[in-house]
Amino acid sequence: MPRLVSHPDEVKIISRRFGLGATDIGKYIELDGYKAVQAAISKGPEWIISEMKASGLRGRGGAGFPTGMKWSFVPKQSEKAKYVLVNGDESEPGTCKDHLIFLYDPHAVIEGTMIAGIAIGAKMGFIYLRGEYRYLLKIMEKAVADAYAKGFLGKNIFGSGVDFDIVTQTGAGAYEVGEESALMESLEGKRGVPRIKPPFPAVVGLYGGPTVINNVETIASVPHILLMSGEAYAKVGSERNGGTRLFGISGHVERPGVYELPMGYNLKKAIYDVAGGVRGGKKLKAVVPGGSSTPVLTADEIDVGLDFDQMGKAGTMLGSGGIVVLDETVCMVEFALRTIKFYQHESCGWCIPCREGTDWLKKSITRLHEGGAVDKDIDNIRYLAENMLGRTFCPLGDAAAMPTIGFVQKFRKEFEDHLNGRGCPYKHSLEREEALV
Amino acid sequence: MADVTFTVDGKKLTAPAGTLLIDACKAAGIEVPAFCYYPGLSLQAACRMCVVRLEKVPKLQTACTTTVAEGMVVYTETDEIKQARKATIELLLGNHPLDCPVCDAGGECELQDMTFKYGAGESKYVEIKQHREEQQWSPVVYFDRPRCILCYRCVRVCGEGMDVWALGVENRGVSSVIAPNGGDHLNCEECGMCIDICPVGALTSGTYRYKTRPWEMNHVGTVCTHCGDGCKTTLGVRAVNDGVEIIRGDNRDKSGINGDFLCIKGRYAFDFANNQERLTKPLVRQADGKLASVNWEHAIDFAAQRLKEVRGSRGGKAIGVIGSNRTTNEENYLLQKFARTVLGTNNIDHHRTADYAAFTAALQGRADREASLRDFASAPAILLLGNDPTEQHPALAWQIRTNVRLNRARLYVANHAEIKLRRQAKAAVTIPQIGYASFVEYLSGNDGVFAGNANTSAFRDSVRKEESLLIVFGSEFRGRDIASLVQFGLSLPNVKFACLGDYANSRGAADMGVLPDLLPGYVPVSAPAHFAEEYGSALPTEPGFDMVEMFDAATRGDLSALYVVGSNPVARYGMDASALKNTFLIVQDMFLTETAVLADVIFPSANLYEKAGTATNTYGDLQLVKKAADKAGVRTDFELIVRLAEKMGTHPKNLVPFGKGVRADFGQSRGVQSGEADRHAVWLAANDLEPKLSPFDPFAIFDEIQRLVPAYNVPRLNLLAGNDEHLKSELVQIDTNATRRDLVLPSQDGLYTSGTLGNYSAKLKEVVASHTTMNATETAAD
Amino acid sequence: MATEKTTIFSPELAARFDKLVTLYPVRRSALVPMLLYAQDEVGYISTAVIAEVAERIGIRENDVQSVLSYYSMLRTKPAGKYNVQVCTNISCMVCDGYKILEHCKKRLGIGHKEVTSDGLFSLEEVECIGACCWAPAIQINYDFYDELTPEKMDQILDDYKAGRGKETV
């Protein structure tokens, strides 16, 4: 069972019910549950959207698009039914925050989904969890059933005259399905290949209807925002980055775990104060700040605020909030290889640059790691990654290319140390690894 | 939509708003490269080759998914873009086998062309290439996986285009692979569209693979010899020691009425021409009753003398002529002229598969009431009565499907069977097989004759509300039923009709007067009008025997000679072979067919791929037939008719108006080899004729047809350029009161059969056999 | 309708499938969940599963094949009764995830995607399973085990061998 952690610097908004038994609907109600949705019903869509805009909440999946604005793009009138889709396909390596939300506060996801539905005029919501999260699906299924039993879901919710239904399901193992349009394809029973955009989901989404699709954390934040007011939520965070965020700090730290910190919180403090610093007193080598797709930061680059804009200025991205801390023992070539292996395995294969590019990167870095490369191979790896960047059908290609470029750029010396038959000077993790098929 | 103005590479362009940038560029002569984009198929944006730079947009954008907008500024060939394309090609070539020297696609490969253009000349990878064995998916489809670049064109053309959905993508990422629906084989319609559309050599053809290099062939665009759709097919031919052999049929010239489409027969079933059983020497029945090969001079002379004798002793009435559904218009025209002017008989007919005479009569020369095959690609609504186009008129089915898919055309289907096109139908009704005529009555508003229900009533209402409709009907309609149907149609606004018949030139045979009562252009023999003067001899004015009557007459001993050209009435029309035991029988054919074995003289003839002329499809689209192949030993039907006439004492000029004053053969009849022209030259010299213009020139006859059959007087330049011209039905004058026996017998051909010809196509037989075995295995497994 | 016909699934699962296809605006949406549940019951996606699922949804078998081959959790060959999935992605990797994998290989005597001869266990190296902060982590079927050491791993395998393991389905 995932261990809960705590630190005085945390501002517990979304995680305030964690560990308090809120999977029980009675307990959830006791902890202010289902109040926000009732407020939403009485005050109406315009109020909801204006609160959401005021909150400065930006998509917690990684792209950071302002949620209130996203909702406002959904046309008021639509011939086709509208839908709310909750993206719980949490698969970005280094990320496990939604895991905890499903585990400890499932009703917040339901309530947030309902509010999104009211805001855009949808009558149906889908909560899609990654296939590995079967035990969390069970928790969600029970929560949904309890909400139906209470009459919170179904016909005429809270006497509003509005119907709202929620269907929960899981995927079956595919990182790419975390991409919003691929998720819709998967939910429609197809291969998880993204769709051509435009049209964007807000106009043509699930089953061709206007669809709001949000990350679990985003959705679960919604009831809290309505309860505390958008303005109050915005104040917690930094400029243009409202509220708090669940940061999962993993890797070589003394106290790994998921911490809820205000947006803009200093990364160095997060590692050294909140997570207790580098494990075993070792030297910090690098930090992957927001899931495996975000470009790596060296030990010298971590004095930076954790929000979308500050991280962007630092040449990386806030991403999914998964902070992976690497000490001096890690071989960066091996780390780059494990990263690209993942993207190679998860590329949907639809477009040429991603399908072929991730594969050639994997092959090239494998050879380099094993000592079979020469000088120009390093440039070739970079050339490959740079030629994928911005050229692929969906962001997966970028997600593979960006960190690769970062590794080569910032740790070129380590790459060079592997050249000309020398192989890896570090203690291998992958010594007898087998290819993932 | 309104036009917008935008700039591409500094050029100001205009196109309707909503046009895809890639199409707008192409229309302006700016080629944006693409593998996955294919006009008319769904968008993929997968190959990333068509990336372009749009001003004020941070990333490169795909031109295949960008629609043009006012003021848009686009760059299509900057260094950045060239580099992006080069990098993409490098990635593709990384694992590509580069077996171009032996690859079927070598020389006509889009990957080669792009590599040439963007110069991905340096190999960046040292890893071993992943080899996969080639797979055979069907008798006609092979798959070479390492060559595949995953553009998904095959998947889409099979699914969206053909509505077969036999190809899909399996696995993901770099393991993604195109997979057939049968696991290791295809269960499909074997159309080969996937091969045609493949930009590389990943999908190859069972007939063509490893046979030759594309540049070693000549490519001749002509008309398919099989069904009545008359698709344009491009035949790849190569010189061999006994002539010129066809080694490939495809649709590389997409200008034809069939658009992108070609079915299994057009693509693969040319192989009958190379069949070992092909006759190449004239045969004459000897005193011992056996057929023996003789030389041409003897055979023609022998046949001519016998015909002359019969004509002399019993008159033309004792001679019958049966024409073909697969020869050219010129040959059929010439045949009836030969019958009527040389033999002096109206005993001429052909195997009728549709009642074109009744159809023409019903239209009464109204202008613009006949639908071209092209019309089916754009008509807003189509009513299909009877027939199963998927099996019998695959190109029509393609046009209809495409129209429904791309233009949301409304298709109404009334049929006694569960035909596949019902899937595309907006509304469909099932009617009894004998209920078509009463259903038309019902459509006309007469409730008394057809037991309707809510469904048929809604169907009727929808059809009658259409403001522009194509009515297409099968051989379920004949004679008076056609008249009623046309009458019903004419009660609606903007209706056009199409009458579906089988075989490549059934329509031409009827139009050219290969009928006992009608001259070319459906002019009654009883009132031959200008034909009497033109033909310069006393034309018989009594209608002659039709096909059945000829055999009846033969049984009675009233038919002493029968000349059968490219037809097999014994097998295909169920005529009694024994009827001919006392009739002198001349057969012109490629094979020793069920009819030919009875003959006294057999002339081995050329097929439609070995001659020039014109052919008319069932919709009245006239097209140029170009000579593609050549077979030593055989003669065209045209040549044989002329030489037979000459041996009977008729000067060729009386049949064929060649010589001074008419337009010459510009080489069309010569085909790709000069051999035939040389042969003609020898014959012409020997007969003291001007060698520049040949009595075997079909265009001399086409001149005459255009002059005497006004419907065929279409613009000639376009036709000779290889394009189709729709007949001018308003110029058909016909006696509408004539009643005629119903002699229509549909061919009953499906996708894999083609009358007698089909029996000689090894590929068709192989496909049928493979389906039988597969079905057997699958049934056993159940 | 479908339950009246012969089914290869248990009555409970068949009934569940009957309901599942009605939950969504289109039947096909039930495809991925159906395949997972069928796999849970049958052990893998057999050709019979493909045929019945295709029929229940009303799509072609090759469509089902195309979809199922996309998702890495769906398999067309049987796995062990307990499928041990060891994460070696970045967070687990730096926390000795490969050591756990090696340990499992030795302990079970099988490699990646192999099954023990008694059919009890199979082993798989998997991508990130979303337990990064509790690395190294594994899943046995659908159950998570985290903050593992070789010793803890032995205990877990012993428990499953003795029939004491968790079995979330």
Side-chain angles (χ1 to χ4, degrees), chain A residues 173 191 196 344-353 355 359-360 363 367 380 383-384 387 391-393 398, chain B residues 43-48 59 83-84 87 90-91 94-95 124-127 149-150 152 169 171-174:
Chain A
R191 296 165 61 83
I196 292 167
Q344 188 266 1
H345 185 252
E346 299 298 334
S347 168
C348 77
W350 184 251
C351 74
I352 295 169
R355 179 182 73 233
D359 194 48
W360 285 112
K363 284 176 179 164
R367 182 160 48 84
N380 196 29
Y383 169 87
L384 260 170
N387 277 288
R391 309 261 175 82
T392 53
F393 184 63
D398 293 348
Chain B
L43 302 178
Q44 314 286 287
C47 76
R48 319 305 289 175
K59 287 182 177 183
Q83 173 53 38
E90 282 166 353
L91 288 169
N95 200 50
K124 292 211 180 317
Y125 313 103
V126 299
E127 276 73 19
I149 61 168
L150 288 164
Y152 318 112
V169 184
N171 307 332
R172 75 173 184 218
V174 78

Side-chain angles (χ1 to χ4, degrees), chain A residues 14-179:
Chain A
I14 191 166
S15 62
R16 63 179 267 243
R17 300 192 191 94
F18 288 10
L20 301 180
T23 48
D24 177 78
I25 192 164
K27 189 74 191 173
Y28 180 75
I29 294 167
E30 200 184 304
L31 295 167
D32 302 325
Y34 291 109
K35 278 187 189 152
V37 65
Q38 295 181 57
I41 287 167
S42 64
K43 296 187 181 172
E46 274 168 36
W47 174 77
I48 302 171
I49 289 176
S50 79
E51 285 299 305
M52 291 306 295
K53 283 184 173 166
S55 74
L57 177 67
R58 292 169 69 172
R60 298 299 192 231
F65 195 84
T67 308
M69 204 187 296
K70 195 184 221 180
W71 292 8
S72 69
F73 290 157
V74 175
K76 286 200 171 57
Q77 302 299 324
S78 166
E79 272 182 31
K80 295 209 166 183
K82 303 181 206 177
Y83 300 99
V84 178
L85 180 45
V86 181
N87 185 347
D89 191 65
E90 178 171 70
S91 304
E92 176 82 3
T95 317
C96 52
K97 62 190 180 65
D98 299 338
H99 191 141
L100 290 189
I101 299 172
F102 287 132
L103 180 61
Y104 292 115
D105 203 3
H107 287 284
V109 183
I110 296 172
E111 192 176 357
T113 307
M114 293 167 75
I115 295 168
I118 292 156
I120 65 159
K123 292 193 168 61
M124 194 164 186
F126 295 89
I127 300 170
Y128 184 108
L129 294 78
R130 62 179 301 185
E132 291 82 353
Y133 286 177
R134 175 66 67 84
Y135 89 105
L136 300 173
L137 174 72
K138 299 245 152 196
I139 292 168
M140 282 310 305
E141 280 174 345
K142 180 175 183 299
V144 168
D146 291 346
Y148 270 105
K150 286 256 183 216
F152 295 173
L153 284 172
K155 301 273 173 222
N156 188 19
I157 53 169
F158 298 105
S160 62
V162 175
D163 303 340
F164 199 81
D165 289 294
I166 286 183
V167 173
T168 53
Q169 78 158 69
T170 72
Y175 166 77
E176 178 61 2
V177 166
E179 196 281 338

Side-chain angles (χ1 to χ4, degrees), chain A residues 3 96 99 130 132 134 138 169 171-173 186-187 189-192 207 250 252 338 342 429 434 436, chain C residues 24 28-29 31 36 40 66 70-73 88-89 91 94 98 125 127-128 130 132 134 139 142 147 169:
Chain A
R3 199 157 40 84
C96 52
H99 191 141
R130 62 179 301 185
E132 291 82 353
R134 175 66 67 84
K138 299 245 152 196
Q169 78 158 69
S186 180
L187 193 50
K190 300 173 193 158
R191 296 165 61 83
Y207 309 115
S250 66
H252 295 146
R338 188 63 191 83
F342 170 74
S429 293
E434 279 171 39
L436 285 167
Chain C
Y24 300 90
R28 186 167 175 160
S29 281
L31 179 57
L36 273 171
D40 294 342
S66 171
Y70 179 88
Y71 294 95
S72 53
M73 286 172 69
T88 61
N89 211 306
S91 298
V94 300
Y98 276 101
E125 180 188 354
E127 294 297 358
C128 181
C132 317
W134 317 292
Q139 274 190 288
Y142 292 111
E147 301 190 324
V169 271

